[in-house]
Every structure is written in C-alpha cells, then in structure tokens.
Amino acid sequence: MKNTVTTFQQMKEKGEKISMLTAYDYSTARLVDEAGVNSILVGDSLGNVMLGYEDTIAVTVEDMIHHGRAVARGAKNALVVVDMPFLSYQTSVYDAVVNAGRIMKETHCGAVKLEGGAVVCPQIKAIVDASIPVCAHLGLTPQSINAFGGFKVQGKTVEAAQKLIDDAKAVEEAGAFAVVLECVPAKLAKLVSEAVSIPTIGIGAGNGCDGQVLVYADMLAMFSDFCPKFVRKFANVGEIMRQAFADYDAAVKDGSFPAEEHTYKIDDEVIEKLY
Ligand code: KIV
C-alpha cells in the first residue's frame, strides 16, 4: 500500500516505528521499496555519496530533480521525500514555493524536506499552503555546516536544547508533517518526540524517535570517506563490490571472461564466406 503523509501520522498515533532510508537512483529505490521501508529520502547527501563533494552546499535544484525523478520511478509504495538544497528556500518565501513546486512537478515525489526551525517557518507555511507536504529537519543541519564549524552533536546546553524543542513546536505549527532530528542526544530527542504530535525521524538521535533514517550507502558500508558514530553497518556491501570488481578485472585479464555462456553464436557458413 502506498505510504503517504497520513500513513506517517497514523503510525505515530499507533506507536508504530517509521523506517526511512535514502536512495538516489532507480535501482536502489526499487530494492528499498521492495524491502518494505516506509519512506525514501532523496537526501542532498547525494552531494557526498553520489557526487563526491565534501559537503552538501554545492548541490543544486537540478541535481535533486535529476535523482528525485529516478527514485520516484522506482518507489511503488514508499513515500518519496526530496531534499530542498542549500539556498533554494532560505532566500525568500517566493523562492521556496517556486523551488518546492518544481521539485514536486518534475520528480513526482510525495513531499519535500528543508532544514531549519522557526526561521524557515514562513517558507514551510507557504509551501504547505501550496499543497506540498513538508518534512522539517532540526539538530545538525548539514547545510549550516560552516556556521556550526563542523559536524557536532546539537542541543547539549539548556538554551540549545530548549531552542530545539521550541523549533520542533514551531515547524509543527507551520504545518510540517514530520521532522528529522539529526545528531541530537537521545534523551532530548525523546522529549522532542513527546512534545510534538507529528512524527520525529531520528538519525543519531536514539530510539526514542518515532522513526529512523540512515544514508543507505553508510549502512551498507559503501561510502568510506567518513562514518558517523550513529551508523550501524547492516552489510558490508562495499567490500563485496570491491572484491567483485577485482574478480572482474582478473577474469578479463586472464581471458576467463567472457566464457562460452556469455557469447552470441553465428553459423560457421557465414563466417566462412567472409574474407
Ligand atoms: O541528506 C540527507 O541524507 C539527510 C539525512 C541525513 C537525514 O538529510
């Protein structure tokens, strides 16, 4: 059954955990969808994972549309959420609605995600008023990495923790249907989850959240540039791929690939008539 923002809300009300994984292409989206994961996030982490950037700052609306529409084609049941990249919504409410609208129209996703709390509530409200569901993102918001001065756990002082709770309430009030909490102490994330009626989706925020999200390339050990503490490697696909590539290289070089069964046939008479 197709997951929607309503499914998210019902799952929170019933106390059922929501699963979300990132994907950036059709084939991975199909696998994630077939596995029964509730939602696929086309995160701007594609800047790191797919494009090899150091951070997400350089990712464009065009990048998100390109990957978002491939994922949407592969997701039958999962709710597809596409990230709004840096400076596609911070600049003005008008830009936010135009870019969210482009992402929705050109990818056929089910929702967009943007980073920030009270400061982006006018944008959230306007996008939601345009009938586009919005997922918010609080805590460590990677688009603000230069302002944070690095990847750091957020909300550790009384002021910062209170601001996180206030921001979560503000994005709910503005109409967000869910909120991602990234790199937040587990006890604080649980408090936030109890303080709002929309689902919280944690990443590095403990199991008191209403759901969890991971970058698929992290949980499969395919991305090795850095690995945050909160990642569990569910399979070492990176090593399986590396070994398979090495086996291919060796088989090509020793002539054992392609073998008979990988080869197309032609009648000998045809060959004999050639000069
Ligand atoms: O871009 C992304 O993948 C994200 C997740 C880390 C939540 O925003």
Side-chain angles (χ1 to χ4, degrees), residues 22 24 41 43-45 83 113 115 137 180 182 203 213 215:
T22 68
Y24 317 105
L41 172 65
D44 59 358
S45 52
D83 257 344
K113 176 168 84 58
E115 297 180 5
H137 185 157
V180 167
E182 180 166 354
I203 174 161
V213 58
V215 169

Short mmCIF file of all heavy atoms in Angstrom, two decimals, residues 22 24 41 43-45 83 113 115 137 180 182 203 213 215, ligand 1:
data_model
loop_
_atom_site.label_atom_id
_atom_site.label_comp_id
_atom_site.label_asym_id
_atom_site.label_seq_id
_atom_site.Cartn_x
_atom_site.Cartn_y
_atom_site.Cartn_z
N THR A 22 17.77 6.62 2.65
CA THR A 22 18.00 7.44 1.46
C THR A 22 18.14 6.52 0.25
O THR A 22 18.44 5.33 0.38
CB THR A 22 19.29 8.28 1.56
OG1 THR A 22 20.42 7.41 1.52
CG2 THR A 22 19.32 9.14 2.81
N TYR A 24 19.19 7.36 -4.23
CA TYR A 24 19.44 8.45 -5.19
C TYR A 24 19.26 7.98 -6.63
O TYR A 24 19.52 8.76 -7.55
CB TYR A 24 20.87 8.98 -5.00
CG TYR A 24 21.27 9.16 -3.55
CD1 TYR A 24 22.14 8.27 -2.94
CD2 TYR A 24 20.74 10.20 -2.79
CE1 TYR A 24 22.50 8.42 -1.60
CE2 TYR A 24 21.09 10.35 -1.46
CZ TYR A 24 21.97 9.45 -0.86
OH TYR A 24 22.31 9.60 0.47
N LEU A 41 14.17 8.85 1.30
CA LEU A 41 14.62 10.25 1.27
C LEU A 41 15.67 10.41 0.18
O LEU A 41 16.70 9.74 0.21
CB LEU A 41 15.23 10.63 2.63
CG LEU A 41 15.91 12.00 2.67
CD1 LEU A 41 14.89 13.13 2.47
CD2 LEU A 41 16.65 12.20 3.98
N GLY A 43 18.08 12.48 -0.26
CA GLY A 43 18.76 13.49 0.55
C GLY A 43 19.77 14.26 -0.29
O GLY A 43 20.32 13.74 -1.27
N ASP A 44 20.04 15.49 0.16
CA ASP A 44 21.11 16.22 -0.54
C ASP A 44 22.48 15.65 -0.14
O ASP A 44 23.51 16.08 -0.65
CB ASP A 44 21.02 17.74 -0.34
CG ASP A 44 21.09 18.16 1.12
OD1 ASP A 44 21.18 17.28 2.01
OD2 ASP A 44 21.06 19.38 1.38
N SER A 45 22.46 14.62 0.75
CA SER A 45 23.68 13.83 0.99
C SER A 45 24.16 13.20 -0.31
O SER A 45 25.28 12.69 -0.36
CB SER A 45 23.41 12.74 2.04
OG SER A 45 22.27 11.98 1.70
N ASP A 83 14.93 16.35 -0.77
CA ASP A 83 15.53 17.50 -0.08
C ASP A 83 15.52 18.75 -0.95
O ASP A 83 15.80 18.68 -2.15
CB ASP A 83 17.00 17.19 0.27
CG ASP A 83 17.18 16.83 1.73
OD1 ASP A 83 16.28 17.10 2.54
OD2 ASP A 83 18.25 16.26 2.05
N LYS A 113 11.76 18.15 1.82
CA LYS A 113 12.33 18.36 3.16
C LYS A 113 13.23 19.59 3.11
O LYS A 113 13.91 19.81 2.10
CB LYS A 113 13.14 17.14 3.62
CG LYS A 113 13.85 17.34 4.95
CD LYS A 113 14.39 16.04 5.53
CE LYS A 113 15.73 15.62 5.02
NZ LYS A 113 16.82 16.60 5.22
N GLU A 115 15.74 22.32 5.84
CA GLU A 115 16.43 22.41 7.13
C GLU A 115 16.13 23.72 7.83
O GLU A 115 16.06 24.77 7.19
CB GLU A 115 17.95 22.28 6.90
CG GLU A 115 18.35 20.94 6.31
CD GLU A 115 19.86 20.81 6.07
OE1 GLU A 115 20.62 21.72 6.45
OE2 GLU A 115 20.27 19.77 5.52
N HIS A 137 13.72 19.59 9.36
CA HIS A 137 15.00 18.93 9.74
C HIS A 137 15.70 19.82 10.75
O HIS A 137 16.04 20.97 10.44
CB HIS A 137 15.84 18.75 8.45
CG HIS A 137 17.11 17.99 8.63
ND1 HIS A 137 17.74 17.35 7.58
CD2 HIS A 137 17.89 17.75 9.71
CE1 HIS A 137 18.86 16.76 8.01
NE2 HIS A 137 18.98 17.00 9.30
N VAL A 180 12.84 15.61 10.93
CA VAL A 180 14.07 14.82 11.12
C VAL A 180 14.87 15.46 12.24
O VAL A 180 15.02 16.68 12.30
CB VAL A 180 14.89 14.77 9.80
CG1 VAL A 180 16.31 14.24 10.06
CG2 VAL A 180 14.19 13.92 8.75
N GLU A 182 18.62 15.26 13.72
CA GLU A 182 19.94 14.69 13.40
C GLU A 182 20.97 15.07 14.47
O GLU A 182 21.09 16.25 14.84
CB GLU A 182 20.40 15.20 12.02
CG GLU A 182 21.78 14.65 11.63
CD GLU A 182 22.14 14.84 10.16
OE1 GLU A 182 21.29 15.31 9.37
OE2 GLU A 182 23.29 14.51 9.81
N ILE A 203 18.16 10.45 13.26
CA ILE A 203 19.42 9.94 12.69
C ILE A 203 20.50 10.40 13.68
O ILE A 203 20.73 11.60 13.84
CB ILE A 203 19.64 10.41 11.24
CG1 ILE A 203 21.03 9.99 10.73
CG2 ILE A 203 19.41 11.91 11.02
CD1 ILE A 203 21.19 10.01 9.21
N VAL A 213 16.08 7.18 10.15
CA VAL A 213 16.57 7.30 8.77
C VAL A 213 18.07 7.09 8.78
O VAL A 213 18.75 7.47 9.74
CB VAL A 213 16.19 8.66 8.14
CG1 VAL A 213 16.73 9.84 8.91
CG2 VAL A 213 16.67 8.75 6.67
N VAL A 215 21.55 6.96 5.82
CA VAL A 215 22.03 7.05 4.43
C VAL A 215 22.37 5.62 4.00
O VAL A 215 23.15 4.94 4.66
CB VAL A 215 23.27 7.97 4.36
CG1 VAL A 215 23.95 7.89 3.00
CG2 VAL A 215 22.87 9.42 4.68
O1 KIV B 1 20.61 14.48 3.08
C1 KIV B 1 20.32 13.51 3.81
O2 KIV B 1 20.57 12.34 3.51
C2 KIV B 1 19.64 13.82 5.07
C3 KIV B 1 19.62 12.74 6.10
C4 KIV B 1 20.96 12.62 6.70
C5 KIV B 1 18.56 12.96 7.09
O3 KIV B 1 19.18 14.89 5.25
#
